[in-house]
Amino acid sequence: MTTFNCGATIFVDQKIFIIQTSDGNWLGVISRDLTERNQLQREAREERDFALQVINTVGQGLAVTDEGGNYLLVNPAFANLIGYEAGELIGKNPQGVITVAADEPVLDQAHEDRRRGKTTTYSATLLHKKGRHIPVLITGSPRVKNGEIAGTIASITDITRVKRAEAEREELIKNLEAQNSEMERFTYTVSHDLRSPLVTIKGFLHYLEQDLAAGNQARLHSDMRRIANAVEKMQALLNDLLELSRIGRVMNAPEDISFTEIVQDALGIVHGRLAARRVTVQISLSQSNPPTVHGDRQRLTEVLQNLIDNAAKYMGDQPDPRIEIGQRGEEAGHQIFFVKDNGIGIAPEFHERIFGLFNKLDTGSEGTGVGLALVQRIVEVHGGRLWVESEAGRGSTFYFTLPTK
Ligand code: ADP
């Protein structure tokens, strides 16, 4: 028996609590069974609250579906991942709300696995509320209720970073493979092209012996000149190769440079050929807003020098040789520049070939065939690209893009 200050007294019988006021009136009777049930219910509620607290706190996405396949429970980590509030997802079907159509066979299989009571892990793509795709790894286990399979308990891991790292690795491998085959081609071309002057030298050395034996002074001199020419060619090849190998490795600090200045410097270097061919040069650059490029001044001058030199070199028998240098539009935030000539032009089937190392369309022309490979490399090191528009007999326009900042 317990008596409280208010005067109420509680009698505890075997199965009931009796509450009586001080004046002997019954206030009420509470069944002891009921109290125990309440106690059990409270404990169950506390356990449920605790479990929910854990589920709602973990960073791992969790989702439970009912026997109808609809969301019964989702935690904030999962809802946030796809840009929803948990409440927006409850009662909805995952296939309707978040999954990408391409995953359907995978999801059908997962469904089947669950029906058979199996736990499986599979990759899928979630669709963010804003339309973005999120790669995830899902581990789904059957949810068992009253001994029956009644839905799925899924744990969802965002694997965006893993996928990105995988893509980066694949890109890296692809680049390495490309570099490797480029290197193989390069070695082959270099050894092939360096061998040809060597063969010439060897051949004429043999003739020299014959000239000496025959006392043929005139032939001796001409053979020696052929040898000297071959040696010069080899030297030019080696110099160009060295130059090419330096690009990307040895660069001057990038600076903001007026494009007009680069053009003027390059024109100064190739002045001799332009004057000899009586080429008219037109510079089409905005006076009010002259373009400024960002990069290695010396290398960029080499780009213009090579393109202008080629334009003059491949004029053919053009009676009014003209070169136009200018800027036209933008591409991916880079300005597009061009060097245009009215020379012999290049048939479309050779447009790719001319950028290859030692590739010349006319083997009799002067030059080593390294110029455009060099130009391409410099432009690419600056983040730009180089291409040509031309037809045989109708002049050529070489375009290249360069960053302005
Ligand atoms: P090179 O001029 O030393 O031969 P390049 O690499 O500069 O080497 O050029 C490769 C080839 O592309 C040239 O041999 C030539 O056949 C062709 N070519 C380059 N520029 C032009 C041009 N402006 N007009 C016509 N053909 C050109």
Side-chain angles (χ1 to χ4, degrees), residues 88 134 196 313 392:
E88 291 178 87
I134 305 165
S196 105
K313 201 157 63 174

Side-chain angles (χ1 to χ4, degrees), residues 289-363:
N289 187 20
T292 304
V293 291
H294 186 73
D296 178 336
R297 177 188 286 266
Q298 189 193 331
R299 295 289 181 210
L300 294 179
T301 309
E302 274 171 29
V303 167
L304 266 302
Q305 176 194 331
N306 270 288
L307 294 179
I308 300 169
D309 196 40
N310 276 353
K313 201 157 63 174
Y314 301 105
M315 272 299 174
D317 51 11
Q318 169 63 252
D320 178 25
R322 291 179 173 275
I323 296 177
E324 184 188 352
I325 304 159
Q327 189 255 325
R328 189 183 297 158
E330 288 189 6
E331 180 190 87
H334 287 188
Q335 302 202 50
I336 305 174
F337 298 98
F338 66 87
V339 175
K340 180 179 180 181
D341 65 63
N342 58 351
I344 61 172
I346 304 157
E349 60 267 34
F350 300 127
H351 285 190
E352 273 202 26
R353 215 165 86 187
I354 53 168
F355 298 106
L357 194 58
F358 301 129
N359 282 354
K360 297 163 59 149
L361 300 183
D362 172 7
T363 46

